[in-house]
Amino acid sequence: MVNRVSAEVEVANLSVNFGTKRAVRDVNLTVEPGQVTAVLGPSGCGKSTLLRTIAGLTEPSEGMVLVNGADQRGVPAHRRGSVLLFQDGQLFDHRSVAENVGYALKIRRVPREQAGQRVAELLELVGLGEMADRSPATLSGGERQRIALARALAADPQVLLLDEPLSALDRELRSRLADDLARIVRDAGVTTIVVTHDHDEAFVLADHVALMREGQIVQAGPLAEVWGSPKDEWAAGFLGYDQVLDGAAAQAVTDGVGRSFTAGGRLAARASAFVTDSQGDYSATVTLVRRVSATHVTLDLDCEASLGHVVGVVGRGEQVPHAGDRVQVSIDQAHIAPIG
Amino acid sequence: MNSAWKYIGVACASVALIATAGCSTGGDKSSDKASNDVVLLTHDSYAVPKELVKEFEKENNIKLVHRAVGDAGSLTNRLVLTKDDPTGDVVFGVDNTFASRALDEGVFASNDVTLPLGAEGYLITGAEKKLAPINTASVCVNIDKTWFADKKLAEPKTLEDLTDVKYRDLFVAPSATTSSPGLAFMLTTTAAFGDDWPQYWERLMANGAKLTSGWSDAYYVEFTQGGEKGKRPIVLSYDTSPAFTLNDEGTESTTAALLDTCFRQVEYAGVLKGAKNPEGAAKVIEFLLSEEVQAAIPDSMYVFGVRDDVELPEAWAKFAVQPTKTFDVTPDEIAKNRSDWLKTWTDVTSK
Amino acid sequence: MKRIAVLAAWSIAPVVVLIAFFIVPVGAMLVQGFWPAGRFDPAGVAEVFTRPRTLRVIGFTVWSAGLTTVITVALGVPSARLLYGTLWPGRRTVAALFLVPFVLPTVVVGVAFRLLLSESGLFGFLGLDGSATAIVLAMVFFNISVVVRIVGIAWENRDPRLAEAAATLGANRLQVFRTVTVPTLAPAVAAAASVVFLFAATAFGVVLTLGGLRYSTVETEIYLLTVTHLDLQGAAALSIVQLLIVVILMVASARVGRSRAPKSRVRVSPRPVHWRDAPAAACLVAAFALIAAPLLALTTRAVRFEGTWSLEYFRRLAAADEDPSIGVSLGEALSTSVRVAIDATLLAVVLGLWIALLVTRRPRTSGERRLLGGIDAMFILPLGVSAVTLGFGFLIALNRPPLDFRDSGLLVPIAQALVALPLVVRTLTPVLRGIDERLREAATSLGASPRQVIATIDLPRVGRPLVAAAGFAFAVSMGEFGATSFIARADSPTLPLLIYRLIGRPGEGHLAMAAAAALVLALVIMVVVVVTDRAHERGVVQW
């Protein structure tokens, strides 16, 4: 169905300054053809600026963007073949849904019939075939994002740039649309860079991840690799690790699971690394029970031995304890990663 | 390649913008000048019957292009400012209060127009070949005779009378700085009172004289015979004005000009130095002095023609009495003192 | 090619027009003032400022414009709230009527006010004739529509949730007003006030007709100095004062204006009238009376003939070409006016849209920001320069190719277009600025070139405001008197010039004919403004 040539994107020594503010500092990043890379970072870290610079909407102060090895400096945004999808879609409210999707085709003067066919295909692809004649204003947030995606794909992009594509949606919709988005993007086979502050979103959508902080790339690589060894404490925190263990605690965990974590000895652990388990090896006192969702509870645990204070979760089939209860805890090593 | 196209696009668009103007309705006739065009510059009050103009054009194979450019002051200043590159061939409407300024700047060329009988009397010494007198009228104080009859008050006669308490709050005149009859009246007082003229104005203002910006304001809005139920029976106007205020039977005028308070205004025509069509320009002056135009002047411009041999309209012959003696200031003197006099006048009247 | 070079290239045409028809002529007049007889003589210009009269004139200008601004805002803001915020029968008509004074020719207004205020007039007993109060009243008459418009539209587009939020936080009515309403409306009020001050400070016809000579503003003084005294040094000095006033005002209003983009896209629906509105209603009635009285005086004068109601004066106007002293009929003058106005409107709209599109491109570098900001500011200047200076400047500057325009029939439309241009630009730029920049970026990113972005994103939204702007430009051009009367023109006068001619001619009924012609002019303008205004549901001029 799709005969698009995917492109390799390379960002070389890129800096973007706004006056004295350095939004992007000396960033290097390579995205292979067809790869989906998530740029993950807190708001204000410069990730959107990076994306806009790749799209050609913001001028780099230093460095360059290369697509398939070609320097993009001086190539105006509308000739770059990279399409940016905004957080809130930015649909054209004065055009119908079909006209929105067909916008890029109209701009390129694709014959009406051919364009109509492609629009219908794309609307089917995003599951909104029956919405063609509606006004975008009548659509829900999720539908708007799907239309925006279809509109972007209609432009046959070499590179698809997604700026927080899901963050304007509510949680329920978000996880549903995330799956769809991941499927559609992968089916399309187009090189994609998605910017997000939400690590879950990054995990669902991307196969590669780049962590960005204060304008700089802190760590980049295949998803599993980055997730399996966050570079530092901050990276661990941003990747969704709830706690960092060092010294005696780290040693105790290493000893406990019988696996050797090297390199400095510090460990990042999710709450799910410490599970209440009546068969568990460690005893602990529950100091606080925290309900984070209807089905999910975290516990502050005061463990015996050198493990100290950790955050944990209630194990499968275990009773939810009360503060002050004594519990047994086991360690799930899959949720622990060495730092550095 | 792309850049080149962009520049071409911009250039085309710029041309289109300027051409938007060109293809519209305004850019027609006036811009294409034919060799038989004569451009006549006048003030706003110029008016000559269209039939006469058409006849003149046909007879002389001339196309008369007329441009009106504000009042006599604007007209004169326009001539001075554009003297090196005039915007017309011939001008009509420079009067004796402005003539010297234009003459001093060397705006006019000499012409060989033969003047008809009656015109010589209005020539300016030293500019006989440059400015041809066309029409004349005197600026005089006018009174509402019926008002004074009703009030059983003696009619004022002289300038001095206007400062009499009997006539307190009865006089209205247009300002000397914004109106040409107003300026003429100021000149009247400088001729009548010599160096004491500012004192006269002090007395006049102290006696409740009112100043308006234009003649029409004074005459229509303030004057009791002006048609707007004004409250002042004495107004500065022209010697011709009584011809327009006849009673219902048409037997008598309800107003009169005080013939001892008059200043004569004469309007001139002249060929401009640097005119593109000086022959045509001279023909226009001859046209303005022709019997037909001179006969039409009273009805179209409300002034007397300079020709002696032209019959006046009936009402004029009866009721527009010209003064035999007027207060005169030579154009030279006016040119020399105008600015200072006006400043003094402004100071005295705005106290 | 660098983007700034493209933007600069697009700036060429409008800037060339401005330079040719504004900067060169006005500059030429200033040169005449500073270089009398070819020698640089700044002392001569400086001397003007030592004259007591100059200082008095500047003082009176600032005082009268200031007072006008205060009264206009005091009456206009409550009126705007009532006209645009409450529901009552006839409010649309009244709102349309409020537009009329703004586009009436000054000569007409001067006569109307004199008819009312002269010793014999309806309000003659007030003794206001020839007083400074009369001038201020007439300027309020002219400018109240500006305040009502700008503030009314801001009021319609305010965010009601803020007031509700304040109310739920326990604020009483007065506190809500003070903490929410005032800050919301303040930018619009400040913008309106600065425009009114500018218009009042450059008023010409009104001051000349009503002020006699006792009161002179900078504008009328420039006229007197140029036309009566040929004192170009004095005129140059005062022209510089005028330019300074404009620049200061625009800098100030730009400061306030920055926070002004309407945040809320919701249009607040009007509420029913309440007894609380009584003070505001009093203001509206006062403002309405001030607008209606002179118009009524004018109308009465036009339709009363020998003690009865009659259309006699209109009949005479229609046949006025047979009157040798007038030489042009109402129909001819009207058609001249309409033709000139169409030309001027076309020019103003094309140029205005061009400038508006240009200055609303988002600058990506500080150089681009300076370029676009400079162009934006440049086109305000024509608002603040005396028509006399411009008219005489045309004469002395436009006399050789490629600018041999002195005698062109285009000069009048060009001058009128320059006057209307700031209004057009200020109507369009807020609409264009209101478009989310990311929409344009989305289009760009989808492959649309800058031209295609304008065609597919900007133009579809600017359609209705463009119609309104064209209507406004048309009205301004129809009523323009100052610049038109100083420019050489062909035989056929425009309607305002015919009115002026009629006022200046003796003879029974000419004043009434002038009133009748003014009435025709007012009606034509009103119809155009109401029709085109319909087309535009959101804001008009914003400053």
Side-chain angles (χ1 to χ4, degrees), chain B residues 2 14 23 31 40 43 55 75 82 102 163 173 196 199 222 231 273 277-278 281-282 294 300 304 306 315 327 340:
Chain B
N2 282 334
S14 308
C23 64
S31 46
L40 168 64
H43 52 54
E55 228 168 88
L75 178 65
T82 60
T163 63
D196 293 336
Q199 285 75 38
E222 302 292 344
K231 293 209 169 131
K273 195 180 273 177
N277 187 351
Q294 289 279 308
S300 34
F304 297 99
V306 291
F327 291 104
D340 289 340

Side-chain angles (χ1 to χ4, degrees), chain B residues 36-343:
Chain B
N36 62 345
D37 277 8
V38 182
V39 180
L40 168 64
L41 302 178
T42 73
H43 52 54
D44 280 333
S45 307
Y46 165 88
V48 163
K50 281 179 189 164
E51 312 83 61
L52 295 182
V53 174
K54 271 187 204 129
E55 228 168 88
F56 165 72
E57 288 184 321
K58 213 156 92 195
E59 265 172 34
N60 294 286
N61 187 30
I62 274 177
K63 188 170 176 328
L64 186 62
V65 179
H66 169 229
R67 293 213 179 89
V69 288
D71 57 18
S74 299
L75 178 65
T76 312
N77 286 341
R78 179 186 169 104
L79 298 179
V80 171
L81 284 173
T82 60
K83 62 178 173 184
D84 297 330
D85 183 16
T87 55
D89 300 303
V90 54
V91 64
F92 160 74
V94 175
D95 68 10
N96 51 329
T97 67
F98 278 102
S100 284
R101 179 187 291 176
L103 286 168
D104 290 349
E105 298 277 350
V107 163
F108 301 106
S110 294
N111 65 67
D112 294 323
V113 176
T114 324
L115 297 179
L117 237 52
E120 303 85 12
Y122 304 112
L123 284 172
I124 294 171
T125 321
E128 290 85 353
K129 282 279 139 202
K130 290 185 171 162
L131 288 177
I134 304 295
N135 65 38
T136 177
S138 295
V139 173
C140 308
V141 175
N142 277 224
I143 55 162
D144 177 359
K145 291 197 292 186
T146 57
W147 191 90
F148 284 98
D150 285 351
K151 295 269 185 255
K152 303 204 167 46
L153 191 63
E155 293 173 0
K157 293 263 184 285
T158 63
L159 291 173
E160 200 56 60
D161 286 350
L162 299 179
T163 63
D164 191 324
V165 285
K166 267 194 294 190
Y167 305 112
R168 193 177 170 81
D169 292 341
L170 298 186
F171 179 51
V172 58
S175 145
T177 51
T178 52
S179 129
S180 101
L183 176 68
F185 185 53
M186 185 195 80
L187 293 172
T188 307
T189 62
T190 63
F193 298 97
D195 290 345
D196 293 336
W197 72 271
Q199 285 75 38
Y200 172 76
W201 274 94
E202 274 170 23
R203 281 181 284 139
L204 193 62
M205 295 309 288
N207 203 34
K210 178 163 192 170
L211 296 172
T212 63
S213 63
W215 168 85
S216 51
D217 245 356
Y219 198 84
Y220 286 132
V221 182
E222 302 292 344
F223 186 44
T224 43
Q225 284 293 330
E228 297 300 326
K229 295 183 232 113
K231 293 209 169 131
R232 291 175 182 253
I234 313 177
V235 66
L236 185 80
S237 191
Y238 293 89
D239 53 354
T240 55
S241 304
F244 297 93
T245 55
L246 306 190
N247 60 4
D248 292 342
E249 297 79 37
T251 53
E252 216 180 316
S253 178
T254 57
T255 66
L258 306 183
L259 298 180
D260 291 332
T261 61
C262 298
F263 179 91
R264 185 175 287 282
Q265 278 186 319
V266 182
E267 290 190 318
Y268 299 89
V271 177
L272 291 170
K273 195 180 273 177
K276 292 185 187 71
N277 187 351
E279 295 81 20
K283 287 218 176 84
V284 172
I285 296 180
E286 279 163 10
F287 167 64
L288 292 173
L289 286 168
S290 68
E291 257 179 80
E292 296 79 15
V293 174
Q294 289 279 308
I297 280 178
D299 278 337
S300 34
M301 291 194 258
Y302 304 112
V303 287
F304 297 99
V306 291
R307 269 181 101 111
D308 280 348
D309 56 351
V310 170
E311 219 171 287
L312 286 172
E314 199 185 335
W316 285 57
K318 272 196 201 150
F319 304 110
V321 186
Q322 295 206 57
T324 46
K325 200 180 131 292
T326 52
F327 291 104
D328 292 323
V329 189
T330 65
D332 270 347
E333 258 184 283
I334 298 173
K336 208 165 68 202
N337 298 312
R338 168 207 297 278
S339 220
D340 289 340
W341 282 345
L342 279 173
K343 277 174 191 149

Side-chain angles (χ1 to χ4, degrees), chain A residues 2-323:
Chain A
V2 182
N3 54 353
R4 180 180 305 107
V5 188
S6 268
E8 181 204 61
V9 177
E10 192 187 342
V11 175
N13 305 321
L14 189 82
S15 293
V16 181
N17 303 335
F18 297 121
T20 55
K21 192 181 162 234
R22 303 181 60 201
V24 174
R25 303 182 201 179
D26 198 23
V27 163
N28 287 287
L29 182 70
T30 304
V31 183
E32 301 292 334
Q35 218 174 54
V36 180
T37 295
V39 176
L40 184 61
S43 47
C45 75
K47 57 189 192 303
S48 287
T49 304
L50 175 64
L51 205 65
R52 291 174 52 87
T53 312
I54 296 170
L57 297 171
T58 300
E59 297 277 326
S61 308
E62 279 161 61
M64 62 179 111
V65 176
L66 300 118
V67 175
N68 286 337
D71 183 358
Q72 299 292 294
R73 281 179 298 188
V75 179
H78 64 280
R79 287 190 220 277
R80 289 204 175 184
S82 51
V83 174
L84 177 63
L85 189 82
F86 286 91
Q87 184 173 352
D88 45 4
Q90 293 297 337
L91 295 184
F92 308 137
D93 280 341
H94 58 290
R95 293 164 180 269
S96 72
V97 163
E99 283 167 344
N100 263 279
V101 175
Y103 182 80
L105 304 171
K106 193 175 171 212
I107 288 292
R108 289 185 207 162
R109 302 203 170 78
V110 172
R112 186 183 289 265
E113 206 171 307
Q114 204 180 326
Q117 221 174 340
R118 180 84 180 115
V119 168
E121 267 172 36
L122 285 164
L123 282 174
E124 279 311 315
L125 182 69
V126 297
L128 293 173
E130 73 285 8
M131 301 282 191
D133 296 325
R134 294 263 293 268
S135 156
T138 64
L139 302 183
S140 72
E143 286 164 342
R144 290 175 68 89
Q145 267 325 58
R146 282 165 201 257
I147 297 300
L149 180 65
R151 184 177 72 175
L153 291 175
D156 255 356
Q158 285 183 298
V159 182
L160 190 58
L161 304 166
L162 310 177
D163 189 1
E164 305 266 8
L166 304 172
S167 59
L169 310 176
D170 49 53
R171 173 177 284 274
E172 187 75 2
L173 207 55
R174 194 150 65 193
S175 58
R176 275 220 322 269
L177 190 57
D179 292 338
D180 283 356
L181 201 57
R183 171 181 59 82
I184 294 167
V185 166
R186 261 176 248 277
D187 284 356
V190 57
T191 309
T192 302
I193 302 176
V194 54
V195 147
T196 176
H197 66 272
D198 182 54
H199 52 83
D200 287 333
E201 212 169 289
F203 293 140
V204 176
L205 294 174
D207 40 41
H208 281 65
V209 67
L211 282 176
M212 200 167 170
R213 182 188 175 193
E214 288 172 6
Q216 288 170 307
I217 301 273
V218 174
Q219 188 180 3
L223 193 62
E225 201 177 281
V226 173
W227 196 39
S229 70
K231 191 178 174 191
D232 56 22
E233 219 170 288
W234 177 86
F238 211 78
L239 286 166
Y241 289 96
D242 296 282
Q243 52 213 315
V244 172
L245 308 174
D246 55 7
Q251 196 54 52
V253 171
T254 309
D255 296 344
V257 299
R259 180 179 145 195
S260 68
F261 293 115
T262 50
R266 285 194 302 164
L267 299 177
R270 308 197 138 219
S272 50
F274 302 99
V275 191
T276 58
D277 179 358
S278 42
Q279 316 292 306
D281 299 334
Y282 303 89
S283 7
T285 311
V286 178
T287 55
L288 183 68
V289 181
R290 206 182 291 109
R291 191 166 284 280
V292 290
S293 77
T295 54
H296 201 59
V297 168
T298 63
L299 308 169
D300 281 4
L301 301 168
D302 196 358
C303 300
E304 283 171 355
S306 46
L307 211 50
H309 297 283
V310 295
V311 180
V313 297
V314 181
R316 190 181 293 266
E318 296 288 324
Q319 285 274 312
V320 177
H322 298 284

Side-chain angles (χ1 to χ4, degrees), chain C residues 26 74 123 170 191 243 249-250 274 281 340 349 376 385 389 418 437 494:
Chain C
V26 171
F123 294 103
L243 285 173
L249 271 180
M250 283 306 133
H274 192 269
V340 170
V349 165
D376 196 16
V385 163
T389 308
L418 276 181
E437 182 62 23
T494 62

